[in-house]
């Protein structure tokens, strides 16, 4: 297999693009895909301050690296979830990446700063940990962005993640979620803009990017992911992709082009009914926001 660009030996073959790339041109391909994604969806503008949600995994570290390579002013935020060794290792990976490359990493620790952790929240609510975890992440990334003057929160969701979430949402016809499933959620009162610049890159590409760029990321998966529905959807999608490369990209990009706009109204309606949380001031549909309610229950436990 040869590099599509220079005809030298390829180090990676991307079936979806029916192309191989040498190391140099693969890194260029990744930057190009991010640049295109940002431009197509008007995710970021020059001079904006970007807060990258950093987990220490391949996607978030590659995202941070790519944004800086493309000239964006991007800092990281690491959230300590208190999930045993997994959290210790992921925090180390995020800190050493930032330290080695001289980048600014903010940190919030759920236990020290908010009095609970994810395993405790799961026990207190008798629900799957990912619900409390996702809620805490959304709330805190947004809050830190607003408080510290960032214009945008960028997350490392890649094409495989988006395809799996989309399949889940379609299987249940979750109109509200489908309306919000977009690589850009615009800023509204109390919410920073949220963007997903890795939308055009797959999981395998992100792992290869890290290896080729010498980024040490945490390979172990979160132990609480077991039983997470998205893992099942990913397996199904991988089987389809294996049979016909390009299926995931067609599924996600076709949705964004042709179906998502039909659902956008449902999401807007929800936003119109928002007031302010009596405890923290964040936008919420109730008196007290879901994060403050979770914190209250989990820190009592
Ligand atoms: S960290 Fe949190 Fe994930 Fe672990 S508890 Fe679930 S949501 S699986 S990306
Ligand atoms: Zn090449
Ligand atoms: Zn609140």
């Amino acid at each position: 297999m040869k590099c599509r660009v220079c005809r030298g030996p390829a180090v990676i073959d991307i079936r979806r693009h029916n192309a191989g790339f040498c190391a140099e041109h693969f890194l260029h391909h990744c930057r190009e895909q991010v640049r295109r994604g940002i431009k197509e969806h008007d995710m970021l503008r020059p001079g904006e301050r970007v807060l990258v949600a950093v987990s220490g995994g391949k996607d978030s570290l590659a995202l941070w690296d790519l944004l800086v390579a493309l000239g964006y002013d991007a800092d990281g935020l690491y959230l300590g979830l208190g999930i045993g060794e997994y959290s210790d290792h992921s925090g180390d990976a995020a800190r050493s990446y930032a330290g080695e490359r001289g980048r600014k990493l903010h940190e919030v620790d759920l236990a020290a700063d908010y009095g609970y952790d994810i395993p405790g929240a799961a026990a207190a609510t008798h629900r799957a940990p990912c619900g409390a975890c996702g809620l805490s992440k959304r709330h805190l990334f947004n809050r830190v962005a607003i408080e510290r003057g960032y214009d945008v929160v960028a997350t490392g969701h890649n094409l495989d993640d988006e395809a799996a979430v989309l399949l889940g949402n379609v299987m249940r016809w979750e109109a509200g979620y489908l309306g919000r499933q977009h690589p850009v959620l615009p800023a509204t009162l109390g919410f920073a803009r949220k963007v997903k610049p890795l939308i055009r890159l797959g999981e395998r590409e992100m792992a290869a990017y890290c290896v080729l760029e010498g980024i040490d990321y945490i390979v172990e998966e979160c132990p609480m992911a077991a039983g997470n529905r998205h893992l099942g959807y990913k397996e199904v999608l991988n089987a389809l992709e294996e049979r016909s490369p390009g299926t995931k990209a067609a599924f996600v990009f076709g949705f964004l082009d042709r179906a998502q706009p039909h659902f956008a109204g449902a999401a807007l309606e929800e936003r119109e009914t928002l007031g302010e949380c009596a405890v923290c001031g964040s936008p919420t549909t109730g008196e007290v926001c879901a994060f403050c309610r979770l914190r209250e229950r989990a820190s009592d436990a």
Side-chain angles (χ1 to χ4, degrees):
M1 182 106 211
K2 288 183 175 161
C3 171
R4 169 195 266 185
V5 185
C6 68
R7 314 306 298 163
V11 296
I12 186 168
D13 149 38
I14 304 174
R15 289 179 65 205
R16 171 171 96 255
H17 293 296
N18 196 15
F21 293 100
C22 70
E24 181 194 338
H25 290 122
F26 173 70
L27 295 173
H28 180 261
H29 155 84
C30 292
R31 291 191 290 269
E32 252 332 273
Q33 293 300 317
V34 171
R35 197 188 57 73
R36 267 182 72 180
I38 290 174
K39 186 160 176 255
E40 249 170 38
H41 299 286
D42 197 15
M43 292 186 202
L44 304 172
R45 285 157 223 146
E48 283 185 328
R49 295 184 69 216
V50 186
L51 185 65
V52 182
V54 175
S55 71
K58 62 185 185 328
D59 301 301
S60 59
L61 290 179
L63 169 62
W64 197 1
D65 205 74
L66 282 158
L67 289 177
V68 172
L70 289 171
Y72 289 101
D73 177 7
D75 297 335
L77 169 60
Y78 173 77
L79 194 58
L81 303 168
I83 306 177
E85 281 194 357
Y86 165 76
S87 285
D88 299 342
H89 297 159
S90 61
D92 290 345
R95 277 174 223 119
S96 53
Y97 173 83
E100 278 163 21
R101 312 208 178 202
R103 303 214 172 121
K104 183 168 181 175
L105 180 69
H106 301 281
E107 291 197 43
V108 170
D109 188 78
L110 277 186
D113 300 330
Y114 292 95
Y116 72 94
D117 58 20
I118 295 304
T125 55
H126 307 291
R127 295 260 176 90
C130 297
C133 186
L135 168 64
S136 307
K137 287 183 195 167
R138 280 192 300 279
H139 179 89
L140 291 167
F141 284 122
N142 186 62
R143 184 190 265 185
V144 170
I146 299 272
E147 286 177 357
R148 306 203 184 171
Y150 289 91
D151 303 287
V152 194
V153 174
T155 56
H157 297 100
N158 59 39
L159 178 58
D160 295 66
D161 299 323
E162 290 305 295
V165 170
L166 177 58
L167 183 56
N169 287 340
V170 166
M171 296 297 255
R172 289 182 176 69
W173 292 114
E174 298 276 12
Y177 290 151
L178 288 165
R180 265 169 296 170
Q181 190 170 355
H182 195 274
V184 185
L185 285 183
T188 50
L189 199 62
F191 287 110
R193 188 184 329 133
K194 286 172 68 187
V195 300
K196 298 172 181 170
L198 300 184
I199 182 92
R200 303 183 59 87
L201 289 163
E203 210 144 80
R204 213 176 123 249
E205 288 157 281
M206 296 337 298
Y209 179 89
C210 286
V211 171
L212 293 172
E213 272 292 346
I215 297 172
D216 235 336
Y217 63 92
I218 171 178
V219 179
E220 73 192 89
E221 299 280 343
C222 171
M224 310 212 129
N228 183 323
R229 261 192 228 129
H230 289 141
L231 290 182
Y233 293 137
K234 279 192 175 174
E235 282 171 19
V236 170
L237 287 162
N238 285 341
L240 293 172
E241 183 78 18
E242 182 64 36
R243 286 192 186 194
S244 57
T247 301
K248 286 180 206 173
F251 183 45
V252 171
F253 301 145
F255 164 72
L256 292 176
D257 277 351
R258 299 195 290 277
Q260 199 273 344
H262 297 290
F263 292 97
L268 277 179
E269 271 168 36
E270 278 177 29
R271 281 196 166 193
E272 274 167 13
T273 55
L274 294 181
E276 270 185 20
C277 168
V279 180
C280 74
S282 295
T284 175
T285 46
E287 176 123 348
V288 174
C289 78
F291 174 79
C292 289
R293 280 183 276 131
L294 172 70
R295 181 187 177 187
E296 164 96 43
R297 275 184 83 180
S299 53
D300 278 355

